[in-house]
Amino acid sequence: MLQGSPTELVASFERQRQAFALDPDPTLATRLSRLDRLAAWLDSHESDIVRAIDVDFQGRSAHETRLAEVFVVRTGIRHAQRVPTALHFRPAYNRLMPQPLGVVGIIAPWNYPLQLSLGPALAALAAGNRVLIKPSELTPRLSALLVSMAREIFNPDELDVAIGDVELGKAFASLPFDHLFFTGSTQVGRDVAQAAAANLTPVTLELGGKSPAILDVSCNVAVAAQRIAFGKLLNAGQTCVAPDYLLVPAGTAENVASHLERAITKLYPKLASNPDYTAVISERHRARLAEMVREARTAGARVIEVNPAGEAFNAASRKFPPTLVIGAPVATRLMREEIFGPVLPIVEYANLDDALAYVQRNARPLALYWFGDDASRCNRALRETVSGGVTINDCLWHLAQESQPFGGVGPSGMGAYHGKWGFDTFSKRKPVFHQARWNGTALFHPPYGHTFNWLLRVLSRIA
Ligand code: NAD
């Protein structure tokens, strides 16, 4: 385990590098054993994980931790255990040989601290790599648990955990990893990509942004409101793929807001005193949300705070009430920055062209949600917008598909993982051409003559 010392960090990296050099292509049994150990650790430590994240957040729903962290990682492990066999042992004349890259660095954020550390780690292990993880400084309990996990079930040359602040993060990002996998903000992603570029280390960037949910005129507003309320309030909106803002047909914002109020009340009849309504990660983040709402209100927006039981929200509890904002001007922070909390702006559009133009002129989002039953309008939205992924008539669920890649595009990220895509991200897919003993390629050798010209003519027609 590494406690913030760049020297230890380099030593750990070198240890993994040497171990990789000694065993550059770990057997299927070795890889499966690493994944088995991780799965067994998850099974026996679920309550420790729930407790650690709850302490880090000062209130994280146990159910959310079981679903969005433990369950997701466990599903990933099961899926990965089936992948390498299929890819590895397919005999062919032309062969694409997946090969481990070497030592992989993983930098994780605080919002799903288990899922976003172990999700990429399990894919890197399945592909046969050594793994160094740097979790977020904002989740110290969960990070400590990851350290004890690493000690308990891995050799430090297989998987290690580096604990430290942003400075250690910088030292980490400048190590010459064979692949660097970063999940976090777009701003820090830029710095990480630059640090990696100095070593020509390939990066995967899983970033954030403002993910829109478009309500079409053809949608069932009551159903959409229930699903949006769930997607927005899971982890109190601190989800990279949470709907950031709504685009609704002109004249419907008030109606959509009242459906959302009803839906939220159903999901969370109480908030401040409800253990299933998660807190905001830090006082700084809570104050930021409050300031964004204040600015929008001052700029003329209508702010609806949803608080079904009329509870008091004091700063000490760090819970922030679900807040709907109608008519926030585009220049406000609420409409410019990723919100990452339980605040939901509702923006009206004149027609579908207008809604799509709004999405197109903003940064390409990590997710886009479409609510509506009109297939041709939905297809237009799919064709005319570029986003990391889409869920139609619901929120978030495209992220949970191990049979689909997950990742952003442009400012919301580059590269992808989950399922087979995680395995590929952490592998060099090396093309190998097996030459046969008897073959015709000598016909292409000089000295060139009639045979060469005839052959080229024939091949040009059929190739
Ligand atoms: P962050 O970018 O502030 O920090 C992420 C990690 O980077 C932390 O471990 C931090 O210590 C480290 N770090 C900070 N500065 C660094 C530097 N200069 N060099 C190297 N490492 C550095 O992000 P956060 O606040 O922890 O997480 C929230 C953000 O993450 C949101 O923008 C959210 O959308 C995004 N996110 C994206 C995904 C996804 O899958 N695309 C998932 C979760 C969160």
Side-chain angles (χ1 to χ4, degrees), residues 107-111 116 134-137 166 169-170 173 182-185 188 191-192 206-208 240 338 340 366 406:
I107 302 178
W110 52 265
N111 65 325
L116 300 173
K134 197 216 91 62
S136 167
E137 62 281 10
V166 172
K170 287 182 184 165
F182 170 81
T183 306
S185 59
V188 175
D191 294 341
V192 167
E206 297 283 345
L207 311 176
C240 56
E338 179 181 17
F340 223 56
L366 183 58
F406 177 76

Side-chain angles (χ1 to χ4, degrees), residues 388-409:
V390 175
T391 290
I392 293 165
N393 283 321
D394 212 332
C395 290
L396 315 183
W397 295 114
H398 65 281
L399 178 146
Q401 310 304 313
E402 284 294 315
S403 54
Q404 297 254 58
F406 177 76
V409 53

Side-chain angles (χ1 to χ4, degrees), residues 329-341:
V330 285
T332 54
R333 283 178 72 191
L334 207 55
M335 296 313 301
R336 285 185 289 116
E337 294 175 19
E338 179 181 17
I339 297 171
F340 223 56

Side-chain angles (χ1 to χ4, degrees), residues 183-410:
T183 306
S185 59
T186 299
Q187 197 188 342
V188 175
R190 245 181 226 116
D191 294 341
V192 167
Q194 276 178 11
N199 301 312
L200 288 181
T201 290
V203 288
T204 301
L205 301 177
E206 297 283 345
L207 311 176
K210 290 181 85 60
S211 298
I214 306 175
L215 273 64
D216 184 43
V217 282
S218 66
C219 96
N220 179 328
V221 179
V223 173
Q226 284 164 24
R227 298 175 184 176
I228 290 164
F230 169 75
K232 183 70 182 184
L233 298 181
L234 182 81
N235 208 27
Q238 302 164 110
T239 303
C240 56
V241 287
D244 187 274
Y245 64 95
L246 302 188
L247 286 167
V248 305
T252 67
E254 289 292 340
N255 182 42
V256 169
S258 48
H259 276 288
L260 280 166
E261 278 187 78
R262 274 198 291 282
I264 293 168
T265 304
K266 208 166 147 204
L267 295 178
Y268 303 98
K270 288 190 295 180
L271 293 154
S273 57
N274 184 346
D276 275 332
Y277 187 64
T278 291
V280 173
I281 187 71
S282 75
E283 174 47 29
R284 184 170 64 82
H285 288 77
R286 204 203 59 81
R288 180 183 144 270
L289 291 170
E291 172 51 27
M292 286 168 115
V293 173
R294 192 203 59 75
E295 187 205 20
R297 185 188 276 120
T298 309
R302 182 164 121 70
V303 174
I304 306 163
E305 196 178 287
V306 185
N307 185 357
E311 293 159 287
F313 284 84
N314 53 27
S317 86
R318 290 213 318 243
K319 294 210 175 175
F320 196 96
T323 305
L324 310 172
V325 182
I326 300 176
V330 285
T332 54
R333 283 178 72 191
L334 207 55
M335 296 313 301
R336 285 185 289 116
E337 294 175 19
E338 179 181 17
I339 297 171
F340 223 56
V343 181
L344 185 61
I346 305 176
V347 179
E348 293 192 345
Y349 63 81
N351 51 44
L352 187 56
D353 289 341
D354 186 27
L356 298 183
Y358 188 94
V359 177
Q360 287 156 355
R361 70 174 166 264
N362 284 291
R364 292 176 166 179
L366 183 58
L368 182 137
Y369 301 110
W370 172 268
F371 288 87
D373 294 330
D374 185 310
S376 72
R377 294 163 71 80
C378 174
N379 279 332
R380 254 200 78 188
L382 287 175
R383 278 197 312 270
E384 295 178 24
T385 60
V386 181
S387 63
V390 175
T391 290
I392 293 165
N393 283 321
D394 212 332
C395 290
L396 315 183
W397 295 114
H398 65 281
L399 178 146
Q401 310 304 313
E402 284 294 315
S403 54
Q404 297 254 58
F406 177 76
V409 53

Side-chain angles (χ1 to χ4, degrees), residues 134-188:
K134 197 216 91 62
S136 167
E137 62 281 10
L138 292 179
T139 50
R141 297 291 175 120
L142 194 272
S143 302
L145 196 58
L146 290 178
V147 167
S148 70
M149 174 276 293
R151 274 194 191 148
E152 210 179 293
I153 64 171
F154 290 111
N155 270 323
D157 68 14
E158 287 178 310
L159 182 145
D160 210 349
V161 180
I163 302 291
D165 56 9
V166 172
E167 285 313 306
L168 187 84
K170 287 182 184 165
F172 191 94
S174 52
L175 289 172
F177 284 112
D178 296 294
H179 194 96
L180 186 55
F181 189 102
F182 170 81
T183 306
S185 59
T186 299
Q187 197 188 342
V188 175

Side-chain angles (χ1 to χ4, degrees), residues 68-88:
E69 313 255 20
V70 181
F71 174 77
V72 173
V73 176
R74 202 180 271 140
T75 310
I77 294 173
R78 287 210 188 108
H79 193 85
Q81 284 170 327
R82 292 195 293 265
V83 173
T85 327
L87 284 176
H88 249 78

